[in-house]
Amino acid sequence: MRLDVKTTRADPGRLLALLFLLLWCFAMPARALVLSASDGLGRGVQLSGDLEIQRDPSGGWRIADVARGAQQSGFESLEGPVQEGFSRDAVWLRFSLARTVDAPARWLLRVRPPRIHEATLYAPDGRGGFVETPLGDARPFATREIHDHNFVFPLNISTEPAVYFLRVRNDGPSLRAELDLWQPVGFEHDRTADYTIMGMLLGAVLLAICMNLIFGAWLRDGLYAHYALYVLCIAALSINRQGFAAQWFLDARPERVAQTLLAVNCFFNMVGTAFMSRIFQFRRHWPPAAYFFNAVVVFNFAALVLTLVGHQAAMATWASAGSTASTLFGTVFVCYLLFVRRQFQYLLPASAFAVGTVLGLYGLLKLWLGDGMPGVPPDRIYWLGTMCHLVLLNVAVADRTRRAERDYRAERERVRAVRLEAEQALEGTVVRRTAELQQTNAALHEEIAARARLEAWLRESLEVERQAIVQQREFVSMVSHEFRTPLSVIDGAAQSLDISKLGGEPVVKQRTERIRRAVQRLTMLIENILLADRLQPENRVLRLETFEMAALARGLCESFHFPGATRLFVDVREPLSKVRGDRALLEIALQNLMQNALKYSPPEQPVHVVLRQTGDIVQVDMIDRGPGVAMADKARIFEKYFRAKTASAVAGTGLGLHLAREIAMRHGGDVILHETGTSGSTFRLTLPAAPLEPGI
């Protein structure tokens, strides 16, 4: 008997199906997350602990590569949420889902926070392929199937385990992702709670801004306006961080979402850093701390400018590092103020910043550890921290007003006490000063009476003196007039003797000249004395006439008998106008100037009398060759009876120059020392020219 062995050929289709099944089983996670009917209602089902992760540095992998290709074996388990920092690598997440029979088939996968540039879900389509659902802030909000500020993917979950892939990537901000699953009903309740909390936050922000702006206007304190701006920045930062900006303002500009978030964050850092420095008074306690915070403000301003011009990807890491550095420095310095300097007035603002920081750190731990940390979800912790921070900081700012009011009242009470004390002291001073004033008044009355008696005595004395002066003037005038007659007789006798037969004798001629010179000198002295009396205020009456000054000067030179009169030379610079004045007085003025020039000039030197006209002024310059006037005597040579030390050897009374100047000033002119030096002096007499007569 022959046994036939029949060889069968393998079916290629069955082999491919078997191979696909083996690859699919190999790519499946270790276990699938099975969802029941009670899950995803009150709270989301966290995928922490059920995720596998693989990083794609090139960013070019496709779903076929990670699902059935060379990269399918590179996944590793991930404990907690995705925390990739500022890496720009694409991250692939793999997880397996299934549901019980009684659980609904439609579920919602929520990915938070909403600051992910690209988030693409690959769900199995049941035919060996995948359905791609791209989301992320790089896509318009209007294209989302589920309109929520977070990224929400609708899922149809089977009772059989199925593998899902999620590709996430960021371009600039820190990459962090938290995944949870919801039933649609539970998701609606949770989303309503989110929007309610955001509405409460915005209402509280609006109320805080209005109150602080009012306080700032009432109290004229810029800190309240600064705090209002700080609160506005917190609201703007919360709106951007929670994804509401993409939903409300940038639904059609997805490329601006990441840029806006970083710009708002930089502006918040600027305002918050300056506010912290101001409320804790860094400049007062340690100026270098204020300088450091000013540098942080400048750094964030530069980062803001670079972000606005399109460099947000490069600035994200630096902005985060600057914010961290300023927060750590501020924390250390505030602890120094509280525990070392014991500045407990800063306890409330320190508590406000501490609560926000502690709750923020707790939210991070909640993200990392998941359900291992008790409490509400991390986003709710962020809301709670923001609300507590705003409330406590608002209380701190209000407490500043309370302390200012308390200090104002204490200062007012102190001022009131000082004022009462001052009033009491003033009353005592008034009583004392009143008594002193009465005594002073009595003494003053006595002094007034004594001064009245003294005034009467002085009046009598002045009257007696005036009478004596009048009598003296009458006596001097009488004596002067009496002297003229014998002087005229003496001068006539000398002239007769001069023309007699004996006049030719040298001795007789010398004696007659001396007699005539002495007579003329004595006559001029008498004229000056009488002129001084005539120039008294009560006798100032001029006998005005119009005449030529040149003729007056020449006549004086011809009739002048003073020693050396022949040395007088008159130089008239034509044309020369007439002058109007008292001829006799001006003649005396010229005589005094000529006599003064002749006395102080050497016997052999000439004296020039130069007449010229400058404009409407007639000038008479008396130029001598004397020793000049000393610098110390220039200001006094025109004083009455003043004689310089250099003139002690020359006879004179000190009246000549004084009277010449008085006469010139009476005529609207003056006599000045025009030039002086060791080679001589020039005295200038100026007089106004007479107006032209009509018809000339």
Side-chain angles (χ1 to χ4, degrees), residues 8-45:
T8 61
R9 296 178 62 185
D11 186 2
R14 295 183 63 184
L15 291 176
L16 289 176
L18 181 61
L19 179 61
F20 175 77
L21 180 62
L22 291 174
L23 291 175
W24 178 258
C25 293
F26 184 80
M28 284 284 289
R31 62 184 179 86
L33 176 63
V34 180
L35 302 173
S36 65
S38 60
D39 292 333
L41 293 175
R43 57 183 299 178
V45 179

Side-chain angles (χ1 to χ4, degrees), residues 592-593 596 600 637-639 654-662 671 683:
N592 285 333
L593 291 175
N596 187 74
Y600 292 101
I637 58 173
F638 293 102
E639 292 182 7
L655 280 174
L657 291 178
H658 170 73
L659 292 176
R661 191 176 198 185
E662 284 290 328
V671 175
F683 285 88

